Amino acid sequence: MSKRNFLVCSAKYIFVLASVVIMSMAFSACSKDDKDDGPQLKANVLTVGNREVPVKHVVCYKDGDEIYKVGVFFADDEMEEVRLIAKEDLYFNKKIDLTKKKDADSYWEVIYYDPTGNRKIDTWSKPDHKYKVGEDIYPVFEKGSLFIKKKSADNIYIKLEGRVEGTTKGVMYDISLLYQGKMTVATDD
């Protein structure tokens, strides 16, 4: 083999190797774009402001209209709770925009009770024009989303994150919850 053929053959291999390296870098760069740029939520942990507390257990109540009341508890006394209320066919397996009110027959609701059992967050997607005169109008989130998925009859996935005004006017809460695991299923009587 002549020196010229050797150089041409070597150049082909170098070109192929360089192409493979460039393509692998392009694929790894693309996969990073699919991830959220925001802070990563901790699994099975509620974060309210700077306070983090692990999930103790989850109870799911279901009524005959397929409306689920999911109680996520953080202590055995069940005082601290995130309660999510949503109709399965309207809100499960969909990313719910918590900044929008819904002109529907069924609304989502997000409630948070602090460790002493005091309700600090109470939001509801009912539109303002559907409230009666003198009735308290519940806020929606300033920013936020909720995703609920039943993984099986006794297993659920919940991702909640956002910023919302609390039950005390002017007090804002940053709240996030990521939970995947077992739940106890009960019938709401």
Side-chain angles (χ1 to χ4, degrees):
M1 180 181 327
S2 72
K3 187 176 182 182
R4 179 171 159 41
N5 285 343
F6 176 75
L7 291 176
V8 169
C9 197
S10 296
K12 286 181 186 177
Y13 286 115
I14 291 172
F15 178 74
V16 169
L17 180 61
S19 297
V20 169
V21 169
I22 290 170
M23 291 301 287
S24 65
M25 289 171 53
F27 283 125
S28 67
C30 289
S31 66
K32 187 176 181 179
D33 291 343
D34 293 338
K35 296 181 181 173
D36 293 330
D37 289 335
Q40 296 299 314
L41 304 180
K42 293 185 179 180
N44 300 340
V45 170
L46 168 72
T47 304
V48 179
N50 294 325
R51 184 173 166 273
E52 295 179 348
V53 59
V55 174
K56 189 73 172 174
H57 65 277
V58 176
V59 179
C60 181
Y61 302 91
K62 181 178 91 169
D63 71 12
D65 293 328
E66 300 300 311
I67 296 175
Y68 285 81
K69 179 171 61 174
V70 181
V72 183
F73 299 99
F74 305 94
D76 289 330
D77 65 7
E78 297 187 354
M79 296 290 279
E80 187 171 17
E81 173 188 6
V82 169
R83 185 177 303 162
L84 309 168
I85 302 172
K87 191 167 184 182
E88 182 177 18
D89 63 345
L90 291 177
Y91 297 111
F92 280 37
N93 303 317
K94 298 172 187 149
K95 187 175 183 180
I96 303 168
D97 182 351
L98 297 177
T99 66
K100 306 255 189 268
K101 297 202 173 201
K102 304 290 182 191
D103 208 357
D105 292 334
S106 186
Y107 313 106
W108 56 259
E109 194 168 356
V110 177
I111 305 167
Y112 168 67
Y113 296 91
D114 72 7
T116 59
N118 293 313
R119 188 176 49 175
K120 294 297 184 179
I121 296 172
D122 197 350
T123 63
W124 199 17
S125 64
K126 182 177 179 179
D128 294 353
H129 70 274
K130 292 205 171 184
Y131 285 92
K132 296 176 183 164
V133 175
E135 200 174 5
D136 287 339
I137 296 177
Y138 290 86
V140 290
F141 278 63
E142 183 179 283
K143 64 179 182 176
S145 64
L146 172 63
F147 186 84
I148 305 171
K149 179 176 185 164
K150 278 179 33 186
K151 304 287 264 178
S152 67
D154 65 347
N155 195 295
I156 195 164
Y157 173 86
I158 301 166
K159 183 178 181 183
L160 165 69
E161 56 186 333
R163 181 172 176 78
V164 64
E165 183 176 30
T167 54
T168 302
K169 290 284 186 204
V171 177
M172 299 300 290
Y173 290 92
D174 291 308
I175 185 169
S176 64
L177 169 66
L178 179 63
Y179 177 77
Q180 181 171 326
K182 294 284 184 187
M183 67 179 173
T184 303
V185 180
T187 304
D188 197 11
D189 296 324

